[in-house]
Amino acid sequence: MTTATPQLLTVPEVMTRLKVGRSKVYDLIRSHRLVSIKIDGCRRIPADAVQDFIHGRMEETA
């Protein structure tokens, strides 16, 4: 059985996808609105977490 490894994004990649600044991405991480992991001091955000964040925001405004 093979499981797909989630795509991990860097903070700059998330900044580009969300069209926000670096401090905003870290604020979302600190406030637990955006899931992230640390790998040897490097912050990585699963691409699915970014999509979940976007969908959650869209549901809030609907």
Side-chain angles (χ1 to χ4, degrees), residues 7-57:
Q7 181 185 10
L8 297 175
L9 305 172
T10 63
V11 170
E13 289 170 329
V14 174
M15 290 166 51
T16 300
R17 288 187 183 202
L18 295 180
K19 309 279 191 279
V20 297
R22 179 182 179 89
S23 60
K24 185 60 177 179
V25 173
Y26 280 107
D27 178 54
L28 293 171
I29 292 168
R30 261 191 308 278
S31 64
H32 303 286
R33 292 185 285 168
L34 188 59
V35 175
S36 72
I37 61 172
K38 242 182 163 180
I39 301 172
D40 293 333
C42 299
R43 185 66 61 183
R44 296 293 181 260
I45 301 95
D48 290 345
V50 176
Q51 288 301 318
D52 291 345
F53 173 76
I54 293 169
H55 290 297
R57 295 293 298 161

